[in-house]
Amino acid sequence: MHVPDVSVVVIVYNDAERLPTAVRSVLDQTLRGVEVVIVDDCSKDRSYEVAQELEAANPGRVRAFRLPENSGGCGAPRNHGIKQATGTYVMFLDSDDVLERNACRNMLAAAERTGSDLVSGMCVRVHLDNRWGKTTEWYPWIYARTRTLESITEYPDLLVYDTLSTNKCYRRSFLLEQGLEFPVGIHYEDLLFSAQAYVAARRITLIPNHVYYWNVVEKAAAKSISNRRHEIANFVHRMEIHRRVDELLAAKGHTAIKTAKDAKFLKHDLVLHLRDLPLLGDAYRQEFARLANGYLAGIDPAAYENVTYLQAICAYLLGKEDWKNLLAAADAMTNKGRLSSPLAERDGRVYWCSEHIDDAEGRRILDVTGQGFHTTPLSSLALGNRLTSYEDDGRGKVTLAGAVVNPLGRIAPDTELSASLEFRARRQIGVRSFSFPVATVRHAGDTIEWSGTADVGGTVRPLGIIDAVWDVRLKLTAGKDRMTTRVSVGGVDLESAARLRVRPRLTRLVSDRFEPEMTKKGNLSYVLTAEGAAAVRTQSLISSAMHGKAAGVVKRSLRRALKARRNIGSGEQKVKVYHEVFSKLPVKKGTVVFESHMGKQYSDSPKAIYEELVRRGAPFQAIWSYAGAKPTGFPPEATLVKRWSWQYLRALAQAEYWVDNQGFPLALAKRPGTTYIQTWHGSALKRMGFHEPRTKAQGKPAQDRFQAAVDRFDHFLVRSEHDVRTLAKGFRLRDEVLLRTGYPRNDALVEAHRAEADSGVGAPAGGSRGRVRGPLAAELGIDPDQRVLLYAPTFRATADGAVEGFSFPFDVEEFADRLGDRVTLLVRTHYLNSVSLPPSVAGRVIDVSRHHDITPLLALADGLITDYSSVMFDYAVLDRPMIFFAYDYEKYSTDIRGTYFDLLDKAPGPVVATAEELMQAVAAFDEADAKYAEARRRFLAEFGEYDRGDAARQIVEKFFTRSGK
């Protein structure tokens, strides 16, 4: 009898409908030597009958078994599957998930090639109820490359983070020899089984392939075991499993793994349960604290050094059973960036709360001075806003009251206050929002208390069906500060609240009530539902007569509404309105529309020009465009408009000036009364514009459209004659359009270099000695004695121009291990990319990609590591060392675009091609500094001759002051 290569154990309980799909994903594997072992956990539906039908339809490939009684978990059916399996290797699959088509083949190949007992691949969470088809890779940094471990001690993060059993392939003889089984009668069995397998395995191989698709339904009516966190038994099981894993690690002497696991417990396991505490009663909280604190007492103190300040605060306050301050911290942790505590100040330090700061450990953990809450403008803080009461009249009116945090009393008692409640559809279709004035707003010490009544039923008119979820926000004005806050439910009970009557515009057959609910992050929202006669009609029309006459009316009405909405908001229609309507309105003198990287950031030369205008007090009205759902980091005093919104189009049509660094939408013509100042975003190594072969290959209509777009530039900033020969000619710009000012964004770098030169800090072997690093270094937690290097690579694109995802071309953990005692590496990806760092490098490698403005990062760094990014030209202004990690230079320089010069000839620093050469170059940093000093001067002379530190001043004086007009 032929022995299968792989036995896939599929466990099922009351899941007859989805079981065939799971089994089919095994039978359709590209590896043919695969058997399916179905184990039914004594289901009450037809699951076992379906399993038998699959066995009959696939003789010799599918076998079905049934446990005599339900075990209540995953452990018993998986153990039975191991006993029944006949394959050389064993995998596990849940009935509601599927395997990637090549999973068995890829894992078998890796196991046979390396002789590993265990092979693990990447799991992907598939969010089935997400309309955008969202997927999430499970700890992708673990699977960035193929690697084989002789022991789990070589890579503790694997045991700490990837605790799944289902994305793995086990040698069956290994499981039997080691007596490995899942625990029975307890949940979270994967954590213990995976830990046991990792520790026992003689060799483990990780592969960067997707192998398992974990289907997730966030809004499922029946919660999974791991999502029933409101049950105290759930937490009891979690704690017991963690204790067993700790005992295993202690028995094997794996103390380093225990410390990493403790940090993960604080960051993940504990946090999951803390989020639910505001909704749970005192009895639950007391038992939760007893269980948690008993376990926290055994946590390695070193683990607290590897968690965020809020995670440490939560663990500390839980130990003190200080529920008031703990719930505020848990709310802030759930809602990233929210400040939910009024804070306290003592002896020049700022603390999360006033309690416990007489305790030395409390002072250390609760100190949040470094978070800058006391200096950040109020309008830039996301202040916590807790609901304190909720009343409704049973019809359509609701009265809400709440309290907004007043940190350190920064909103003074004599500050004039006003507020409004906003009900906003989460999906922006139809009417955007409805506002209601808040009757009472008053100072109350640490908070600003408010209460107001909203006539929702008489005012809010949803479309219905499409805009099913509505969020509630409070807009608070305190003097000159304007703040928008989400309203968190806090401890207010919404279970007994009445549904508010509403009148949807499309139809009341499907929905006629607003039901209050708490979001996953604890905030107040309303969901369109139906009740009474409407509910009966809904059930009959939708459930029984989807194709009936009434349902057809609803569908046709919906289609017409959607079509009208699409036409109104379509790009074609917007361009037409822009040219035929908005461009006929008068130009507003003094109005400037700023944009950086197509609205993604507040950064670069547009930012520098804007801030110079503000510094001089020039008379102008600033409008900044932003992309995405929520603008962050933009100046509070500026008007913000979303890119491609109607407000954006009207602002562009009526602006006296356009200022951006990349390009306003190509389809929008600039009217004669508008001056377009194009700052651009970097000198060119790669060929640009009409120098690109792809542009040359386009037909004449496409080339004409591109030419019309660049012809809108009234002024184009250059920083060298290299820019004149490359960028300007690539865009076919006339010489009179060019402004030889340098880049305003580099003014700060020129000033930094002059300050160093005047003080003598920048000596060739000086590194960072004597350099004043400023607040950014403190914000990032950088040791003053550490050398700071900035790694800033450019993006990579495929042959068709699509942007490739970023992955490290070197082992970042090895970099941290070898050089982290001397060097702090800042990683700043291109704005088109993002990065995921393993926790093991925390403090030694820091992701600064969210710092949109790279100029302060350049000023901070003692040296730059890049490849072909134009950041090299800007950094040259500082006359500091550069290392060029050109691991794919031949491919990059000879691809379809080509380059303007050979980087190998002109690079003002060592060019390295391998990870080992990179680390050696970093280790020999001072030597390279001195060796390439003259090359850096030549490089700056050629590529930055006009960067003199006064670019922003020149622009403002030429265009925005009376003397320059």
Side-chain angles (χ1 to χ4, degrees), residues 760-927:
V761 169
S768 61
R769 289 196 297 271
R771 180 172 296 142
V772 177
R773 285 194 162 145
L776 181 56
E779 176 188 334
L780 297 174
I782 295 173
D783 186 333
D785 294 329
Q786 288 279 90
R787 172 163 279 148
V788 179
L789 298 185
L790 175 66
Y791 177 48
T794 190
F795 70 95
R796 303 296 193 275
T798 60
D800 60 359
V803 177
E804 295 181 353
F806 173 79
S807 60
F808 278 102
F810 59 91
D811 190 327
V812 69
E813 291 174 293
E814 182 183 358
F815 186 100
D817 291 341
R818 288 175 58 174
L819 301 164
D821 60 335
R822 292 166 286 163
V823 172
T824 298
L825 183 67
L826 308 181
V827 178
R828 207 272 194 178
T829 59
H830 191 276
Y831 70 90
L832 295 173
N833 293 135
S834 60
V835 64
S836 177
L837 289 175
S840 58
V841 302
R844 298 176 293 172
V845 182
I846 303 172
D847 177 18
V848 291
S849 301
R850 293 185 179 180
H851 288 256
H852 291 160
D853 193 357
I854 196 172
T855 301
L857 296 170
L858 296 175
L860 170 63
D862 302 312
L864 174 71
I865 303 172
T866 187
D867 43 19
Y868 324 109
S869 171
S870 64
V871 73
M872 70 175 81
F873 302 109
D874 303 298
Y875 197 73
V877 171
L878 292 164
D879 189 27
R880 298 179 193 166
M882 287 185 266
I883 298 172
F884 297 85
F885 186 26
Y887 60 91
D888 57 351
Y889 182 68
E890 183 174 351
K891 174 184 176 183
Y892 192 89
S893 61
T894 59
D895 77 353
I896 189 170
R897 280 180 66 179
T899 60
Y900 284 116
F901 62 87
D902 188 346
L903 180 63
L904 301 182
D905 289 340
K906 294 183 181 292
V911 180
V912 296
T914 67
E916 181 59 32
E917 290 175 352
L918 170 64
M919 296 190 199
Q920 290 177 3
V922 173
F925 186 84
D926 289 336
E927 179 183 337

Side-chain angles (χ1 to χ4, degrees), residues 485-507:
T485 67
R486 288 298 303 270
V487 180
S488 65
V489 173
V492 173
D493 180 20
L494 297 179
E495 292 294 327
S496 58
R499 298 176 177 182
L500 306 177
R501 295 178 182 177
V502 291
R503 295 177 297 153
R505 295 175 183 270
L506 290 181
T507 174

Side-chain angles (χ1 to χ4, degrees), residues 126 153 323 347 883:
V126 180
T153 58
W323 298 111
D347 300 328
I883 298 172

Side-chain angles (χ1 to χ4, degrees), residues 3 48 149 264 282 360 384 436 533 662 696 710 788 868 933 959:
V3 177
Y48 184 55
L149 313 173
K264 192 249 189 177
D282 289 339
F436 304 90
Q662 194 154 347
K696 292 178 180 178
V710 297
V788 179
Y868 324 109
F959 297 105

Side-chain angles (χ1 to χ4, degrees), residues 562-681:
L562 286 173
K563 182 178 180 181
R565 177 65 184 171
R566 281 196 298 269
N567 288 341
I568 292 173
S570 68
E572 181 181 353
Q573 186 70 13
K574 284 185 172 181
V575 171
K576 184 176 181 180
V577 171
Y578 171 85
H579 289 109
E580 296 183 5
V581 180
F582 291 158
S583 292
K584 302 297 191 292
L585 298 173
V587 170
K588 292 184 177 180
K589 293 296 183 180
T591 301
V592 188
V593 176
F594 294 92
E595 184 171 285
S596 180
H597 294 302
M598 296 186 289
K600 293 182 176 68
Q601 304 173 358
Y602 171 63
S603 66
D604 211 79
S605 291
K607 173 186 175 183
I609 294 173
Y610 168 81
E611 291 183 348
E612 177 69 9
L613 283 166
V614 172
R615 187 184 69 79
R616 286 172 168 257
F620 76 108
Q621 179 190 355
I623 300 173
W624 275 91
S625 88
Y626 71 91
K630 183 179 179 181
T632 57
F634 288 86
E637 66 274 7
T639 300
L640 303 184
V641 293
K642 186 171 184 177
R643 203 169 197 266
W644 271 112
S645 66
W646 291 111
Q647 295 93 331
Y648 173 79
L649 296 175
R650 180 164 181 168
L652 284 176
Q654 293 192 270
E656 185 179 8
Y657 292 98
W658 292 359
V659 179
D660 91 310
N661 64 354
Q662 194 154 347
F664 289 108
L666 301 181
L668 304 181
K670 180 187 68 68
R671 58 196 299 183
T674 300
T675 299
Y676 190 167
I677 303 172
Q678 172 58 256
T679 70
W680 204 240
H681 52 275

Side-chain angles (χ1 to χ4, degrees), residues 113-185:
R113 184 179 67 253
T114 62
S116 294
D117 290 327
L118 188 161
V119 175
S120 189
M122 193 183 300
C123 171
V124 179
R125 284 166 58 93
V126 180
H127 301 264
L128 297 179
D129 51 356
N130 181 274
R131 65 179 181 272
W132 308 115
K134 176 184 175 183
T135 61
T136 309
E137 293 180 335
W138 191 252
Y139 298 114
W141 44 267
I142 291 178
Y143 298 97
R145 62 180 176 85
T146 300
R147 62 196 301 174
T148 297
L149 313 173
E150 300 299 326
S151 166
I152 189 61
T153 58
E154 296 178 19
Y155 196 42
D157 281 354
L158 181 60
L159 181 147
V160 172
Y161 289 92
D162 187 0
T163 57
L164 301 176
S165 65
T166 48
N167 59 332
K168 296 170 178 61
C169 181
Y170 311 84
R171 193 181 299 274
R172 186 165 65 93
S173 60
F174 159 69
L175 296 179
L176 297 177
E177 290 167 5
Q178 297 293 330
L180 292 179
E181 291 187 338
F182 289 86
V184 177

Side-chain angles (χ1 to χ4, degrees), residues 675-693:
T675 299
Y676 190 167
I677 303 172
Q678 172 58 256
T679 70
W680 204 240
H681 52 275
S683 299
L685 171 61
K686 281 227 151 186
R687 296 186 178 274
M688 301 290 294
F690 288 99
H691 290 163
E692 290 187 53

Side-chain angles (χ1 to χ4, degrees), residues 508-557:
R508 297 179 65 185
L509 294 175
V510 178
S511 55
D512 62 355
R513 294 290 189 276
F514 256 164
E515 182 175 4
E517 73 164 19
M518 187 183 71
T519 68
K520 286 197 303 182
K521 293 188 175 183
N523 299 315
L524 176 64
S525 290
Y526 286 88
V527 178
L528 274 171
T529 60
E531 69 178 28
V536 174
R537 288 196 297 271
T538 300
Q539 292 299 320
S540 61
L541 288 172
I542 293 181
S543 301
S544 306
M546 276 300 294
H547 304 290
K549 182 177 179 180
V553 170
V554 174
K555 289 179 179 179
R556 286 192 295 274
S557 298

